[in-house]
Amino acid sequence: MNALSQQDLDALQAALGDDAGLTRAPVEVGGAKIDVTLAPGDEDALARSIAALAARGIGAIVRGGGTRDAFGNTAQRARVVLSTKRLSSVIEVDAEEGVARALAGTPLGELREAVEAAGWALPFDPPGLHTTLGGTLAAAAIGPRHLGFGPPRDLVLGMDVV
């Protein structure tokens, strides 16, 4: 498969805007030879990036911490990694309601610390030092706590999806 054209790269950079979230270091993920990594800095840049990828027919692999790269089918046609690493933030922890809001790229360790500081325990515990909230939900990743709390999908009250 051919590398991305300069027009494709320009369109992807334009989707990111002034954000410096495009890296041209070639890598291989799950057998796919990746030309660039896009790391949008906010939800709007993510939405524009996905629209640009779709409009140009460019395949992408969504990647957070990379702890589940071997899961699923190998994405042979992907040319781009769409990284959620910069979409990382615990937005809110409501101690009274026992509800937390966080972005997909938030590492579970960071979310766990914020929730515990509010007097609660995070029921997600899949293995992996770099495991993210988005990856946990996308992969339905579980650990021993799922026996008492249920699978991740049972713990989500709402979700905004791009």
Side-chain angles (χ1 to χ4, degrees), residues 127-160:
L129 180 62
H130 302 288
T131 299
T132 61
L133 176 60
T136 298
L137 296 175
I142 59 172
R145 288 184 177 206
H146 88 279
L147 296 172
F149 293 101
R153 68 174 182 210
D154 291 353
L155 304 170
V156 175
L157 298 176
M159 183 184 312
D160 292 334

Side-chain angles (χ1 to χ4, degrees), residues 11 14-19 42-53 162:
L16 289 171
D18 291 334
D19 190 359
D42 61 33
E43 294 90 346
D44 291 336
L46 174 61
R48 289 190 308 269
S49 297
I50 290 173
L53 290 166
V162 174

Side-chain angles (χ1 to χ4, degrees), residues 16 19-22 38-42 83-89 103 105:
L16 289 171
D19 190 359
L22 186 142
L38 300 180
D42 61 33
S83 172
T84 64
K85 283 189 180 246
R86 295 181 60 213
L87 299 170
S88 175
S89 176
L103 298 178

Side-chain angles (χ1 to χ4, degrees), residues 43 51 77 79 90 97 99 115-116 131 152 161:
E43 294 90 346
R77 292 185 42 230
R79 306 304 299 165
V90 177
E97 294 290 329
V99 175
V115 168
E116 288 174 356
T131 299
V161 178

Side-chain angles (χ1 to χ4, degrees), residues 5-148:
S5 70
Q6 188 59 49
Q7 291 83 10
D8 290 334
L9 293 169
D10 292 344
L12 295 174
Q13 183 62 63
L16 289 171
D18 291 334
D19 190 359
L22 186 142
T23 306
R24 293 187 183 185
V27 295
E28 186 173 316
V29 178
K33 293 183 185 350
I34 302 300
D35 294 326
V36 298
T37 297
L38 300 180
D42 61 33
E43 294 90 346
D44 291 336
L46 174 61
R48 289 190 308 269
S49 297
I50 290 173
L53 290 166
R56 301 187 82 75
I58 300 170
I61 297 171
V62 178
R63 188 177 202 211
T67 58
R68 306 279 183 289
D69 282 347
F71 283 34
N73 296 327
T74 303
Q76 295 297 324
R77 292 185 42 230
R79 306 304 299 165
V80 172
V81 165
L82 189 55
S83 172
T84 64
K85 283 189 180 246
R86 295 181 60 213
L87 299 170
S88 175
S89 176
V90 177
I91 298 168
E92 172 188 19
V93 178
D94 185 334
E96 188 174 310
E97 294 290 329
V99 175
R101 290 181 50 223
L103 298 178
T106 306
L108 285 188
E110 181 182 327
L111 180 56
R112 181 171 289 111
E113 287 176 12
V115 168
E116 288 174 356
W120 289 86
L122 185 68
F124 298 136
D125 64 347
L129 180 62
H130 302 288
T131 299
T132 61
L133 176 60
T136 298
L137 296 175
I142 59 172
R145 288 184 177 206
H146 88 279
L147 296 172

